[in-house]
Amino acid sequence: MKPLNADLHCHSTVSDGLLTPAEVVRRAHGNGVELLALTDHDELGGLDEARATADEIGLRFVDGVEVSISWGDDQTVHIVGLGVDPADPALRQGLQQVRSGRDARAGRMAAELDKVGIHGAYQGALRHAGNPALVSRSHFARYIAEQGHARDVKSVFDYWLAKGKPGYVEHAWATLGDALNWIIGAGGIAVIAHPGRYRMSKAERQELFIAFKDLGGRGIEVLSGPAKDEEVREFSRIAREFGFLASRASDFHGPGESWMDLGKLPDLPDDMTPVWSQLV
Ligand code: AMP
Ligand code: MN
Ligand code: MN
Ligand code: MN
């Protein structure tokens, strides 16, 4: 049987994506995606529009969210919730609380950037975000690139915004336990997002997977972003070891600004249990 073209991780203008929820859905459909989840950062506000568009064009759609959590010694990890009920009060309240820290963090980031000669970054980032509760490093990156401090958004992260760089400030996101309670309580399946993107030792990563599973986490993005062969092998092995469901996740943010376009990832290895087998 032909594998399903599922893409269960992407962003819209309701967080740090460049396309509206409706545009994301149309692009996914145009790219051949057969099952799509919109997973904006800590925000459910795009799901109604995305689902309405998906219904209109006949694309199967899953309500999703990507929750930012703090882990260990100032690590940020992302947990994707799939099949969540967007009306669930505890989920909504929890996400609202996570978002409420973004504005003050942006102020602290701008103050640090100001010291190294990047001025006006708070207002600049806010212009891109449109809403102080959604302002993210991606919005700062767009402003900084626009001001000519780096060649493109990607290099802005390398020079200014990645951990250890002048515009990076520590921030307390949700806890792993809270994020899993919100997602599972809202009827969703929790999935570890882009496991290859965390700067952790193998042992630290293993600790994260163990805690995640203990707290009810069920899935891992075996395929994410550019999906290097070596990483796909490694995370398939982890999925086997822990009995995790496997997800396929472009993490699309916008044309020209993403590691990967919607629906373009390779197929999951044959022996994986796709997370969508539990969603549809
Ligand atoms: P924040 O939640 O404000 O810390 O912003 C994190 C977002 O920045 C991620 O969701 C990505 O969209 C983006 N991002 C993080 N690292 C990079 C990178 N190295 N290159 C491009 N975008 C990045
Ligand atoms: Mn993002
Ligand atoms: Mn992420
Ligand atoms: Mn993402």
Side-chain angles (χ1 to χ4, degrees):
M1 207 172 74
K2 191 175 141 298
L4 188 76
N5 189 344
D7 193 335
L8 300 179
H9 182 156
C10 64
H11 298 274
S12 75
T13 46
V14 169
S15 60
D16 59 350
L18 293 170
L19 305 181
T20 64
E23 287 167 343
V24 170
V25 171
R26 289 185 196 287
R27 185 181 183 95
H29 189 243
N31 282 3
V33 172
E34 296 165 297
L35 181 71
L36 179 74
L38 178 67
T39 55
D40 276 310
H41 297 286
D42 313 308
E43 174 59 84
L44 305 161
L47 296 175
D48 281 352
E49 178 184 319
R51 181 173 287 283
T53 310
D55 285 349
E56 205 179 291
I57 59 184
L59 172 62
R60 281 151 74 199
F61 183 76
V62 172
D63 290 309
V65 65
E66 181 175 17
V67 185
S68 315
I69 68 149
S70 295
W71 172 256
D73 178 22
D74 187 38
Q75 293 264 10
T76 300
V77 169
H78 287 171
I79 305 293
V80 162
L82 297 174
V84 293
D85 172 5
D88 184 84
L91 175 65
R92 296 178 72 85
Q93 167 67 32
L95 295 177
Q96 201 267 330
Q97 184 194 318
V98 179
R99 290 195 302 272
S100 69
R102 282 196 177 267
D103 190 25
R105 171 196 188 230
R108 289 186 287 129
M109 287 175 64
E112 292 304 315
L113 288 165
D114 197 65
K115 292 183 197 159
V116 294
I118 298 178
H119 308 300
Y122 176 77
Q123 286 306 330
L126 198 57
R127 213 170 52 242
H128 284 281
N131 174 351
L134 299 178
V135 67
S136 80
R137 283 186 292 159
S138 304
H139 303 112
F140 276 87
R142 287 171 200 151
Y143 171 74
I144 294 169
E146 202 174 87
Q147 294 297 301
H149 297 288
R151 174 174 81 242
D152 54 25
V153 161
K154 188 102 193 56
S155 4
V156 174
F157 276 89
D158 298 341
Y159 289 108
W160 307 105
L161 297 179
K163 191 170 174 179
K165 302 298 172 183
Y168 182 89
V169 301
E170 287 196 14
H171 185 70
W173 301 107
T175 65
L176 179 64
D178 281 345
L180 288 171
N181 284 338
W182 299 334
I183 292 168
I184 297 164
I189 296 179
V191 176
I192 296 187
H194 41 66
R197 235 182 282 157
Y198 308 122
R199 278 201 245 150
M200 291 182 196
S201 67
K202 284 223 161 136
E204 286 169 332
R205 209 173 272 176
Q206 200 75 1
E207 248 178 79
L208 169 67
F209 298 147
I210 291 168
F212 172 75
K213 183 165 172 146
D214 279 351
L215 293 164
R218 293 179 63 199
I220 186 168
E221 290 181 352
V222 166
L223 294 171
S224 81
K228 291 191 207 105
D229 288 351
E230 192 188 303
E231 288 182 350
V232 178
R233 270 197 301 277
E234 167 72 1
F235 298 122
S236 310
R237 195 186 60 67
I238 298 287
R240 285 180 206 109
E241 179 185 336
F242 286 86
F244 287 150
L245 300 163
S247 193
R248 187 168 182 267
S250 65
D251 201 7
F252 177 76
H253 280 71
E257 221 185 80
S258 275
W259 286 278
M260 174 72 48
D261 203 342
L262 291 157
K264 302 289 184 192
L265 283 162
D267 295 329
L268 285 172
D270 283 344
D271 69 324
M272 296 285 102
T273 308
V275 65
W276 53 91
S277 67
Q278 307 299 305
L279 287 168
V280 286

